Amino acid sequence: MRPATRLAVLFIVSLLSQLSWTQTYASSSERKLFDAANRERQQRGLPALRWDEALATAARAHAKEMAARGTISHQFPGEPSMPARLTKAGAHFSSLAENVAMASSAAAVHDLWMHSPPHRANLLDPDMNSLGVGVVERNRQLFAVEDFSKAR
């Protein structure tokens, strides 16, 4: 293979790998929160969570709703329930949990969750095996959602 052709192939492979990464993680904040969750689990001998794009789709939609309203909630008036949102996004599950927060950075969001017993319990639940994260920024604040599931 000619050097120019080899270089072109390497460029295309690199570009494709970046595109698939972008499709998996829409933002660096989402990736940071996903990685932080798995670090916490690893430190305690728990299995890593796998990324679930259907959960992430639902989490992003809910984060967008929270950002639009400027507040956090697990369900707003007129909004479908969490199981309904996740089912609509294509998730298949036998159990669910959700964390929501608002803070100035992904690290601050994760810290809030780890210092809240119910949110910490969701992060460290050994029965959960999948996670999708959604983060939307508004006025320098991150509106973050972690949707956990025990996937079927």
Side-chain angles (χ1 to χ4, degrees), residues 88-123:
K88 182 179 178 184
H92 302 281
F93 51 85
S94 58
S95 60
L96 297 170
E98 182 176 69
N99 289 347
V100 298
M102 180 179 78
S104 60
S105 69
V109 167
H110 182 71
D111 189 58
L112 286 170
W113 285 334
M114 289 306 293
H115 286 92
S116 162
H119 295 100
R120 180 185 176 96
N122 289 342
L123 273 158

Side-chain angles (χ1 to χ4, degrees), residues 6 22 26 35 39 43-45 53 61 70 83 86 90 116-117 121 132 147 151:
R6 189 174 312 138
T22 300
D35 291 345
R39 267 193 313 279
Q43 290 171 0
R44 291 156 181 84
E53 191 60 30
L86 297 177
S116 162
D147 283 337

Side-chain angles (χ1 to χ4, degrees), residues 73-148:
S73 177
H74 290 283
Q75 184 178 7
F76 292 105
E79 184 184 32
S81 67
M82 181 181 63
R85 292 191 314 259
L86 297 177
T87 298
K88 182 179 178 184
H92 302 281
F93 51 85
S94 58
S95 60
L96 297 170
E98 182 176 69
N99 289 347
V100 298
M102 180 179 78
S104 60
S105 69
V109 167
H110 182 71
D111 189 58
L112 286 170
W113 285 334
M114 289 306 293
H115 286 92
S116 162
H119 295 100
R120 180 185 176 96
N122 289 342
L123 273 158
L124 302 178
D125 186 339
D127 290 333
M128 297 298 172
N129 58 21
S130 302
L131 173 60
V133 182
V135 177
V136 173
E137 184 176 354
R138 178 180 175 214
N139 298 331
R140 296 185 182 168
Q141 290 293 304
L142 300 182
F143 292 81
V145 177
E146 285 183 327
D147 283 337
F148 302 88

